[in-house]
Amino acid sequence: MNWIVIALIVWAAAFAVNLWLVRRGGRAAAYLVPVIFGLTILFIWEGMVRGLNISPVLLPPPSAIGAALISKTHILWTDLVQTFFKGALTGYVIGCGSAIVTALLIDRSSFLQRGLLPVGNFIAALPIVGLAPIMVMWFGFDWQSKAAVVVAMVFFPMLVNTVQGLQASTAMQRDLMRTYAAGYGQTLRFLRLPAAMPFIFNGLKISTTLALIGAIVAEFFGSPIKGMGFRISTEVGRLALDMVWAEITVAAILGSAFYGLMALLEKRMTFWHPSQRG
């Protein structure tokens, strides 16, 4: 019995188990179904690569990727620190923080709202492959230029979401605050910022993926001898596709965890919103 037949049998068995779990329902099914589905995909991947004798240069099996994850942990950790903690996370904090402050200034000035937002939309449409080389020339080859690319990528999506959120409160709600003799600061604190929180967290969640993608792509245009983008481009040249897929796996897990952290924080801070109920 070859690998392909085994993979098909495993797929049929996993499908039957998942179907039974879905019909049974419950919290256990909510966690077990995606886990079984993911493990089945990996097993089928392994079986097809081995059964069809696909070259590891084209598509390495999951076992080879797992071996690279275990044996090259120190390299992967060095790349993760360089790309995520130094480049992506720094740019994410600076970009999102400055976008929120700028949105508060725009909210106070209709002139800035009419003048800055169109410019922001124009800059947000610039391709990263054109922006990254310029930032590398300006800020050097280390993580600072990658953080600058991330700032440029996350700033305007965050700005637009925050500005829209600050306008989410209704005229009746604002009139009620004026009836209570509330000033701008009190209205902002007790009404407009809470109403803007779903929009702000939407921008924060979008920016998590943009930050990681921006930092990785920027490393293709110049970086020291470490970083996820540097490692991917180098290992592709060496035809070490198992290491390339290991870097991609780490980036995917990290991006999902970062997004999940923002989603969990949103659920805790906006528990009162209809989208978080039930």
Side-chain angles (χ1 to χ4, degrees), residues 132-238:
I134 297 173
M135 294 298 181
V136 170
M137 295 299 294
W138 285 358
F139 297 99
F141 288 92
D142 210 346
W143 62 267
Q144 291 87 349
S145 59
K146 289 44 175 195
V149 171
V150 173
V151 169
M153 289 190 66
V154 307
F155 180 84
F156 291 102
M158 190 70 214
L159 176 66
V160 171
N161 276 278
T162 306
V163 170
Q164 288 183 334
L166 291 173
Q167 298 171 354
S169 58
T170 65
M172 183 177 295
Q173 291 171 330
R174 293 191 293 271
D175 288 341
L176 181 62
M177 294 298 291
R178 282 193 291 268
T179 303
Y180 292 148
Y184 174 81
Q186 291 174 314
T187 303
L188 182 67
R189 177 184 175 185
F190 294 108
L191 173 62
R192 303 186 68 197
L193 274 180
M197 279 299 169
F199 294 86
I200 292 174
F201 274 105
N202 187 48
L204 289 173
K205 289 188 294 185
I206 292 172
S207 298
T208 56
T209 53
L210 290 177
L212 191 56
I213 292 171
I216 292 175
V217 173
E219 289 179 345
F220 280 80
F221 297 93
S223 66
I225 54 173
K226 55 185 176 181
M228 303 177 83
F230 166 80
R231 195 72 56 194
I232 290 172
S233 61
T234 302
E235 298 300 333
V236 165
R238 297 174 53 199

Side-chain angles (χ1 to χ4, degrees), residues 65-85 227-228 231-232 235 242-251 254:
I65 299 171
L69 285 169
I70 296 173
S71 62
K72 303 293 179 60
T73 303
H74 59 291
I75 298 177
L76 294 170
W77 173 252
T78 301
D79 293 341
L80 186 149
V81 171
Q82 175 72 15
T83 301
F84 180 73
F85 290 105
M228 303 177 83
R231 195 72 56 194
I232 290 172
E235 298 300 333
D242 54 344
M243 190 61 180
V244 173
W245 278 93
E247 292 280 0
I248 293 173
T249 302
V250 172
L254 191 62

